[in-house]
Amino acid sequence: MKQLLTLLFVAFVFLGCNQKQVVQLKMPNQNKSVPTKVKEDKTTVVEEFISNDSIIKEEVIDNSNNGSMNTVQPQADEETVAQQSININIDETRANVKLAFVYPSTLVSKYAKSSLSTISGYLSYKQANYNLIVVDSKNESYENINNAFSKLKEEGVTKVIALFTPNALNNLNKIVTDDFKVYLPLIEKKDSLENNDNLIFGSISYDDQLKKLSYYSNGKNSTFYQETYLGTKLKNSYDFIIGNSNLRKEISNDEKNFKNIVNDSRLRNSSLFLNTDLVKSSLILSQMTVYEINPNTILATQILFDPMLMVLTQERDRQNLIIANSIGDVDSKLKDEIATLGGNITFEWVDYSTLVGTNYLFSNGNSSLISTKIENNQAVYTPRLFKSTDIGFLEIK
């Protein structure tokens, strides 16, 4: 019996030593596995199962103090790379993108947050691995703007969205060189006295909007405007495009009583160009209704393309109101992505302008995704005219 047991043990050992052993190494995020031989000797075969995905990526959100946001970097398995030479097909839609957002907080804080949300929403929609550098220049002094761009050069960023006003143009022309492509959502090309091919201008044109609105003028023109930066800009555009006026009134910022302003017989049957902000325009419209002052048409630029207008006024107040809007139609999924993060490209033209520039820099030129194109370093908008309804705006065809 002992001899029989000994023979069986020896036979078992002999068979076990000659049998091939298979070890399976399963990679993360494995979908469908394809066996690939990596190492073989006389007794052992190791098979590594590699996912069909071209690249295995680990998303790393970097919120470090250098201002970077949402840095997503591919992490490679160093041991796998050392063992094998793998052909990698890179998906360009997820290529790493470096982009900067620069803004002077003391001047444009009203727009900065939603503009930044628009940029982030666009990059999220494109499913891009991106490094977004955010720099606050505080103001538009030469020193602060220069320091901001010096930091971007150190970071290796060349594509910049800069929320500066026209007052910064002189400094920008001195600082921005061939190292950068800078998109300026708030500035028109006509505002620049110098030709700098590295600056791309994105502001809407109030001149173009007033030209479009002038088709509805009966020639008996009147205008209200404010003593603000935008009010002055609109006044200058009005003087340049429309010119003649039977009535012109400046509305002070602290004006509260509009009786004496609207109770003017010259407004009756006139074409009133209402170049005042949303709140004051709403008060003017309601007071004209109260005092039965009925202009032939009331014409307004982008400044009144805001759904709050329907909250602040009654339908009869807006009966003869026509509003110009230069914001183009956008893919609904992109619009929702941006809205989720806090941007508003439906009614905020600064956000829409920021979107136009982000798409242009990301795509290295115009793309079919955005209808507004950039030509000769200027975003070219197509103004459309709208009437208001109880629930929103209806385009005039």
Side-chain angles (χ1 to χ4, degrees):
M1 178 63 70
K2 290 182 179 180
Q3 291 177 344
L4 179 59
L5 290 174
T6 301
L7 288 172
L8 289 173
F9 178 78
V10 171
F12 175 79
V13 172
F14 177 81
L15 291 173
C17 290
N18 284 278
Q19 184 178 359
K20 290 185 177 181
Q21 299 176 359
V22 177
V23 181
Q24 293 183 353
L25 303 180
K26 188 174 182 180
M27 299 295 287
N29 302 320
Q30 179 178 315
N31 297 322
K32 183 178 179 181
S33 300
V34 179
T36 302
K37 184 183 293 187
V38 259
K39 185 178 179 183
E40 180 176 2
D41 56 29
K42 293 181 180 180
T43 59
T44 305
V45 175
V46 178
E47 292 184 346
E48 186 173 50
F49 282 73
I50 301 175
S51 170
N52 278 346
D53 295 336
S54 300
I55 302 176
I56 299 169
K57 297 182 179 178
E58 178 183 351
E59 294 189 345
V60 180
I61 306 299
D62 180 4
N63 291 318
S64 58
N65 294 329
N66 63 3
S68 300
M69 297 181 62
N70 293 336
T71 302
V72 186
Q73 300 173 340
Q75 302 293 321
D77 185 329
E78 294 180 358
E79 182 178 353
T80 302
V81 173
Q83 287 179 344
Q84 291 184 282
S85 175
I86 303 175
N87 293 325
I88 298 175
N89 297 318
I90 298 177
D91 183 354
E92 292 182 357
T93 64
R94 293 186 62 81
N96 192 53
V97 176
K98 280 190 175 182
L99 191 66
F101 178 70
V102 182
Y103 70 103
S105 58
T106 58
L107 301 173
V108 298
S109 58
K110 174 182 177 181
Y111 305 111
K113 183 177 180 180
S114 58
S115 293
L116 183 57
S117 297
T118 298
I119 297 171
S120 299
Y122 172 87
L123 294 171
S124 176
Y125 170 84
K126 297 293 286 187
Q127 297 183 345
N129 292 337
Y130 65 92
N131 189 0
L132 182 56
I133 311 295
V134 181
V135 180
D136 179 4
S137 67
K138 303 297 183 183
N139 56 45
E140 295 178 333
S141 68
Y142 178 89
E143 180 183 7
N144 284 12
I145 295 177
N146 190 51
N147 287 340
F149 279 88
S150 295
K151 178 176 181 179
L152 297 182
K153 185 178 287 189
E154 292 174 2
E155 295 279 355
V157 182
T158 61
K159 299 176 180 180
V160 184
I161 306 288
L163 214 59
F164 291 117
T165 73
N167 293 330
L169 272 173
N170 187 44
N171 291 332
L172 287 169
N173 279 316
K174 295 176 182 177
I175 293 168
V176 177
T177 63
D178 291 341
D179 295 328
F180 296 101
K181 282 293 182 184
V182 180
Y183 180 84
L184 304 163
L186 299 179
I187 308 178
E188 284 186 80
K189 189 175 182 178
K190 71 171 189 174
D191 294 328
S192 180
L193 299 177
E194 298 183 40
N195 185 26
N196 187 338
D197 289 337
N198 303 298
L199 298 179
I200 304 167
F201 301 90
S203 175
I204 63 171
S205 172
Y206 287 107
D207 286 1
D208 289 346
Q209 290 192 355
L210 287 169
K211 286 178 185 176
K212 189 85 171 178
L213 289 166
S214 68
Y215 298 147
Y216 284 82
S217 168
N218 64 0
K220 186 183 175 182
N221 299 315
S222 56
T223 182
F224 293 162
Y225 64 94
Q226 282 178 267
E227 53 182 22
T228 60
Y229 169 78
L230 180 55
T232 302
K233 185 179 179 70
L234 288 170
K235 174 182 176 294
N236 293 337
S237 289
Y238 176 88
D239 290 341
F240 179 69
I241 300 300
I242 308 300
N244 65 306
S245 180
N246 295 328
L247 174 64
R248 182 191 303 265
K249 290 188 178 182
E250 180 181 295
I251 312 298
S252 64
N253 292 331
D254 57 357
E255 184 65 61
K256 294 182 175 63
N257 185 357
F258 291 88
K259 177 180 179 180
N260 294 332
I261 293 173
V262 303
N263 196 12
D264 192 317
S265 61
R266 291 173 293 179
L267 286 173
R268 288 190 171 92
N269 200 39
S270 73
S271 293
L272 172 60
F273 286 82
L274 195 54
N275 294 324
T276 49
D277 66 33
L278 177 64
V279 173
K280 285 184 169 45
S281 293
S282 299
L283 290 170
I284 290 169
L285 290 171
S286 62
Q287 289 296 297
M288 284 195 296
T289 300
V290 169
Y291 293 102
E292 298 183 345
I293 302 296
N294 300 310
N296 178 266
T297 51
I298 304 170
L299 306 167
T301 60
Q302 191 81 42
I303 195 170
L304 291 191
F305 192 72
D306 190 318
M308 279 301 296
L309 180 68
M310 272 64 79
V311 177
L312 298 174
T313 60
Q314 300 180 45
E315 185 177 6
R316 60 178 180 169
D317 301 335
R318 310 185 305 271
Q319 187 172 356
N320 298 323
L321 176 64
I322 299 174
I323 302 173
N325 168 43
S326 295
I327 297 174
D329 295 327
V330 177
D331 176 81
S332 59
K333 291 183 179 179
L334 173 58
K335 188 182 297 185
D336 290 344
E337 191 77 41
I338 290 172
T340 298
L341 294 177
N344 182 353
I345 58 173
T346 303
F347 294 106
E348 296 292 343
W349 75 260
V350 177
D351 286 1
Y352 180 73
S353 173
T354 300
L355 172 65
V356 171
T358 304
N359 177 69
Y360 186 81
L361 294 177
F362 179 89
S363 305
N364 295 313
N366 294 312
S367 77
S368 59
L369 180 63
I370 306 297
S371 60
T372 300
K373 307 304 180 188
I374 293 175
E375 299 175 5
N376 299 319
N377 286 41
Q378 170 68 56
V380 180
Y381 298 90
T382 302
R384 297 177 293 164
L385 300 182
F386 290 79
K387 290 185 68 69
S388 65
T389 68
D390 283 341
I391 58 174
F393 295 97
L394 179 67
E395 184 174 2
I396 301 172
K397 297 293 186 179

